Amino acid sequence: MNPRETLTSPRSEASAGNVAGTAARPEAETAAPVISVEDLAIAFPSLDGRETVKAVDGVSFAIAPGETFGIIGESGSGKTTIGRALAGLLPPTGGTIRYDGEDLRGMSRRDWRDRRRRYQIVFQDPNAALDPRMTILQSLIEPMKIAGGRSPEEMKAEAMRNLDRAGLRAELADRHPHELSGGQKQRVNIARVLPLNPRLIVCDEVVAALDVSIRGEILNLFAELQREFGIAYAFIAHDLAIVAQVSDRIAVTYLGRFMELGPAEAVTERPLHPYTAALLSAEPRPLPAHLRAPRRIELKGEIPSPVNPPSGCRFRTRCPHAQGLCAQQAPEWREVRPGHHVACHFAGPDGLVEHASQQSSAKTDTGGDHR
Ligand SMILES: Nc1ncnc2c1ncn2[C@@H]1O[C@H](COP(=O)(O)OP(=O)(O)OP(=O)(O)O)[C@@H](O)[C@H]1O
Ligand code: SF4
Ligand SMILES: [Mg+2]
């Protein structure tokens, strides 16, 4: 079974002309967002408590019902922090998150929990949400118990239905997590959230810890559930090829901000931001021919510290196209193609404007062919 063929991506239903902030899917253009984020900021105290780590520093977007919203970026760029905030696990230090139009701040704890339940997260580590002392059946029942409103018999019947829906045999219900494979545990994690009738699931590197041979099967399960229940996904991953395949739109994250956001096809085939172009060209695994960059763009150095990000454009210390202006002024977040936003002074509808790309061509590493 070839997962690339069987994964019926929602992207295939995407339309090119989506409106900024809504999904690429035609039916979603008018739908009210499942989640809308405005100027989100999340800061942590540094280890010594003397500085502030600006993990997320002003991002805005909205996810429509049934949309898959991909989030990519290097390690430390703030992907998980955004995901945890969407699932209500981290309070924003700035900005607003609206869940189906509602700002949950100021609600009673009980109301907040009732609302938040429908915005779930599945983690990279299949063990993260499973108690090793519980049987699989107990793990499946636990979220329903917390939610309340079902009898023990109803909970058991629902758990067994979801076990089956997630592609697991009934006999696994009496086992403990250590008796299951990573892929089976990830299926249990998915089955656990189904009774909560999720509107959005944050998928944080959900297949990264799994054997390559079963990744496609788990992605297929996510895609099937999306078609069946209209669940929206915030799909976080390092693996550009997977994000490109499953997402309707992709946001490219760098040092706590979005550099680019647009329809998946446009972002991967005609990237507007130099960072996106560099990520695409550095992809170590073979990308489909149409996504391969003609030459490698070397990203020098590490991602800077979010305690003290560079002035102006925060990508400038690693950008092969950086110019004087880039240090002085932060680029505006502009919509340069329909539904396609970018934060770069020199990005136009056809990519970088000529003088920037000409200046940079001498600095571009043409040595490594990553095909
Ligand atoms: N609880 C915390 N306390 C302090 N700093 C944190 C905390 N959580 C995250 N950070 C910092 O915030 C930044 C963003 O982290 P985050 O985990 O969101 O990145 P990421 O993009 O998910 O990275 P990865 O791809 O490695 O998972 C990093 O610099 C990280 O060290
Ligand atoms: S604004 Fe300047 S430094 Fe930033 S991405 Fe554009 S060219 Fe590079
Ligand atoms: Mg992460």
Side-chain angles (χ1 to χ4, degrees), residues 44-45 53 55 73-82 204-205 238 306:
F44 301 104
V53 180
E74 282 167 290
S75 185
S77 58
K79 305 179 298 294
T80 293
T81 307
I82 294 171
D204 190 359
E205 305 276 6
H238 278 98

Side-chain angles (χ1 to χ4, degrees), residues 114-159:
D114 282 348
R115 304 287 203 292
R116 198 201 73 76
R117 202 165 281 140
R118 300 194 68 191
Y119 306 85
Q120 288 291 324
I121 187 163
V122 176
F123 294 102
Q124 170 173 351
D125 176 4
N127 294 305
L130 298 178
D131 186 330
R133 292 160 304 181
M134 286 187 183
T135 65
I136 298 307
L137 180 62
Q138 287 168 331
S139 283
L140 291 170
I141 285 176
E142 191 195 22
M144 289 187 259
K145 256 192 193 162
I146 296 168
R150 287 176 170 102
S151 70
E153 295 72 31
E154 285 170 335
M155 288 192 286
K156 184 169 179 195
E158 175 82 36

